[in-house]
Amino acid sequence: MIEFKEVSKYFAGKAAVSDLTLHIAKGEFTVLIGTSGCGKSTTLKMINRLIEHDKGAIRFGGEEIRRFDPQALRRRMGYVIQSTGLFPHWTVEKNIATVPKLLGWSKPQIDARVSELLALLNMEETFRHRYPHQLSGGQQQRIGVARALAADPEVLLMDEPFGALDPVTRATLQQEIARIHRLSGKTIVLVTHDIDEALALADRLVLMDGGKVVQQGTPTALLTKPVNDFVRRFFGQSEWGIRLLSLGLAGEAARRDEWLEEEGIAETLTLREALSLFIARGTDRLAVRDSNQQPLGVLHFADLLRQKKP
Ligand code: ADP
Ligand code: MG
């Protein structure tokens, strides 16, 4: 759906991004990761032409993006940034309706869409009349996401969207964006420098350094088949095994033909979270329940050693 072919971007003669080749498939959740200054934001902004590329080609649905009118292109791509960019003197409702209004939607259409998005993002209907300063940071960020999704864009671009939030709010919003991705099947490109955020969300990871792609592939591939020492170091040699566990789910690893009479853990818990519970409870077996709280199976401590192959 989005294709970079040998793309470079220079600022004052210095390459911020060089020779970047990337394929972003429709419906895929792609995460651009790397240390500060490696060219992630520049790459993201070249997709919606907030920054124009100097060399190479960027195609959207097969067509060079220079052929699109930049405004029209941006309406097809939701954009979420860390500082939300909400208009302070506009209500939540008016902020969310920014693009639908530009597209000429009717008032009833807009009202219905605002309600739908508030529900999707677990916000009360009454929030629609509030102003941004009457919301917490996490709530503002939810409205930022709602606004980006308002006109049902084909692509959602997110630049460190949860960077300014506390760890608990951040984790909640990560789960919500993962849920929205599952429900909507939208193509999402998210930029972060947070390794655990990247591993929790990505179908496909693109690790950048010095304006270049060092390695791209599934999170499991990057963790288990690093192409060089940079990749190995980036994912932290000492944390490596724990991070691998964060890619597996309790429900997938549990033994289906066993059961234990206990409260049990959710199937959506990662194996990393399960490890923590094994230790905290001093046990080597945990009952796992499905989303309807029904018995699903039993996870054994030893099952943590049987990792999915990339
Ligand atoms: P990241 O998002 O990975 O932290 P950026 O894409 O923002 O990195 O920046 C990549 C490089 O390009 C950095 O060296 C940065 O200083 C430089 N850069 C980014 N934007 C500009 C700009 N508008 N003018 C000059 N240099 C810039
Ligand atoms: Mg950046």
Side-chain angles (χ1 to χ4, degrees):
M1 175 172 231
I2 302 166
E3 198 182 354
F4 280 65
K5 187 144 187 286
E6 293 159 18
V7 171
S8 299
K9 172 70 199 177
Y10 304 93
F11 291 113
K14 214 172 151 279
V17 167
S18 55
D19 242 358
L20 190 89
T21 296
L22 266 185
H23 297 269
I24 294 165
K26 194 172 163 65
E28 205 167 54
F29 201 134
T30 299
V31 176
L32 306 181
I33 187 169
T35 48
S36 180
C38 72
K40 305 179 298 294
S41 297
T42 303
T43 302
L44 195 74
K45 287 178 186 162
M46 286 193 291
I47 299 175
N48 65 5
R49 290 185 63 186
L50 285 174
I51 293 179
E52 302 279 1
H53 56 292
D54 294 322
K55 264 172 66 181
I58 304 177
R59 295 195 189 90
F60 176 47
E63 183 125 18
E64 166 60 45
I65 57 164
R66 288 189 211 281
R67 297 221 194 99
F68 294 96
D69 166 50
Q71 298 302 330
L73 187 71
R74 272 170 227 152
R75 281 172 206 162
R76 294 171 65 185
M77 299 180 174
Y79 183 49
V80 185
I81 53 175
Q82 183 172 318
S83 56
T84 75
L86 294 177
F87 302 112
H89 304 299
W90 286 9
T91 59
V92 160
E93 179 175 72
K94 201 167 168 196
N95 266 289
I96 295 177
T98 310
V99 177
K101 268 216 181 103
L102 288 170
L103 294 173
W105 290 23
S106 71
K107 174 100 172 73
Q109 267 177 318
I110 290 178
D111 284 349
R113 184 63 179 152
V114 170
S115 298
E116 192 180 5
L117 286 162
L118 288 172
L120 180 70
L121 286 146
N122 288 322
M123 303 270 292
E124 284 168 42
E125 179 69 26
T126 53
F127 276 100
R128 68 193 297 145
H129 303 301
R130 292 207 193 172
Y131 289 88
H133 75 269
Q134 297 169 317
L135 304 174
S136 71
Q139 290 164 344
Q140 287 181 22
Q141 206 49 262
R142 283 192 166 84
I143 300 306
V145 174
R147 183 178 60 174
L149 289 171
D152 202 17
E154 291 147 80
V155 180
L156 190 56
L157 306 175
M158 310 181 88
D159 195 345
E160 313 230 11
F162 313 131
L165 305 174
D166 65 82
V168 175
T169 309
R170 175 191 279 234
T172 311
L173 275 164
Q174 283 168 0
Q175 282 163 14
E176 280 174 20
I177 203 71
R179 181 174 54 89
I180 289 168
H181 179 245
R182 275 196 307 275
L183 286 175
S184 68
K186 268 203 198 317
T187 308
I188 300 182
V189 187
L190 180 140
V191 162
T192 185
H193 60 263
D194 181 324
I195 297 172
D196 294 315
E197 176 163 287
L199 295 177
L201 295 174
D203 293 325
R204 187 172 187 81
L205 259 185
V206 180
L207 175 59
M208 296 179 66
D209 185 41
K212 290 186 183 302
V213 173
V214 185
Q215 188 172 357
Q216 51 180 315
T218 61
T220 317
L222 268 76
L223 282 177
T224 58
K225 298 199 168 117
V227 293
N228 59 26
D229 274 341
F230 175 83
V231 182
R232 227 168 267 126
R233 274 198 312 276
F234 186 82
F235 289 104
Q237 265 139 347
S238 64
E239 299 269 351
W240 184 88
I242 300 290
R243 291 197 157 123
L244 200 54
L245 283 180
S246 72
L247 302 177
L249 296 180
E252 289 167 3
R255 303 182 189 190
R256 300 288 172 132
D257 47 358
E258 293 181 24
W259 185 240
L260 289 172
E261 274 316 322
E262 61 178 36
E263 193 187 337
I265 63 172
E267 61 171 334
T268 52
L269 237 51
T270 66
L271 293 179
R272 179 181 185 161
E273 291 166 313
L275 171 65
S276 180
L277 288 171
F278 279 125
I279 307 287
R281 296 186 189 172
T283 179
D284 64 357
R285 290 186 298 165
L286 291 166
V288 180
R289 291 185 185 268
D290 68 16
S291 53
N292 301 316
Q293 306 302 321
Q294 296 305 306
L296 186 139
V298 174
L299 182 68
H300 292 233
F301 190 76
D303 298 337
L304 300 182
L305 301 176
R306 293 187 290 116
Q307 272 301 301
K308 257 192 318 209
K309 294 287 172 288

